[in-house]
Amino acid sequence: MDYAFFEGKIVPVEEAKISIMTNSFHYGTAVFEGIRAYWNEKEEQLYILFAKAHYQRLIDNAKCLMMNLPYTADELVEITKELLIKSQIREDVYIRPIAYFKDLKLTPKLIDYTPEIAIYIYRFGRYLDTSKGIKAKVSSWRRNDDNSIPSRWKVAGAYVNSALAKTEALLAGYDEAILLNSQGYVAEGSGENIFIVKNGKAITPSLNEHILEGITRNAVITLLKKELLVDVIERPIARSELYTADEVFLTGTAAEITPVIQIDHVKIRNGEVGEITRQLQEVYFKAVRGEISRYKNWLTPVYEK
Ligand code: PMP
């Protein structure tokens, strides 16, 4: 049975229920995280990837919504371990922490409400096709501007923007959307950061391009530089550069490293996964499962050995 952390206790997930009157349900004033844990069969160990960084981002984002959570990042990591142990997880899983205002009151504001945090386990599998790659559509929807609903924060309400773009892409026969920012430069996917490769160099939008500061984005920059010896340039990317790129890939906790093999009507590299993307995936998937000792500091082991 799966357990959830709800109102300060670990309970069976069916018991973790909120009221329809919950304030944040109405206004999207919740912040959340997506964390993956990878099962290493040989070691019989479950590794949580970047556990502390995710909880630190959650606490920081929550603070921006004036939610003072009564837990440190380390305490939330410990609670998550407990949850995974109690649920006896021995496979890859996704973990969803969410902080919200529990008050049964209306008025879209951030003061005089009571913050709460819930954490549950979700069996995601692969979010997008990481082996064959995906087709992406440049969205007619623009990324929400950092000055309207901050794209830098993982705020629930901002995902209306993602849902519109993703739905438009799916209905048009694509797998994912690529959103431009309000200046017309490439921002990110509906739930992923984006990289292009051109002439052996990797390029990704800089952090002031109205994007989320992806934790996977950071890890991928490290791997590109240190393992693949590929330069990474952070700068604005024009939409037109997408179509002429040698390789394009998306990064995210859920999406991991997903090759993009077609954008709108244009095939990238004749629709084949690029060499740098392939090499990057290889090292990333080893690192997250604890198979590369120098990246073990990315991981939190769940089971005592
Ligand atoms: N951008 C958006 C809009 C996202 O929702 C996500 C997923 N959290 C990402 C980028 C990737 O972030 P991370 O690597 O931290 O999961």
Side-chain angles (χ1 to χ4, degrees), residues 1-3 11-14 83 86-89 121 123:
M1 189 206 315
D2 279 359
Y3 287 83
V11 297
V13 69
E14 301 79 46
L83 203 60
K86 188 128 200 226
S87 306
Q88 294 177 20
I89 300 297
I121 298 162
R123 284 154 217 267

Side-chain angles (χ1 to χ4, degrees), residues 57 143 154 159 188 190-193 212 214-216 251-253:
R57 183 167 70 183
R143 190 83 194 120
K154 251 180 109 55
Y159 281 80
E188 56 186 337
S190 72
E192 310 86 17
N193 291 109
L212 189 79
I215 290 168
T216 320
T251 68
T253 303

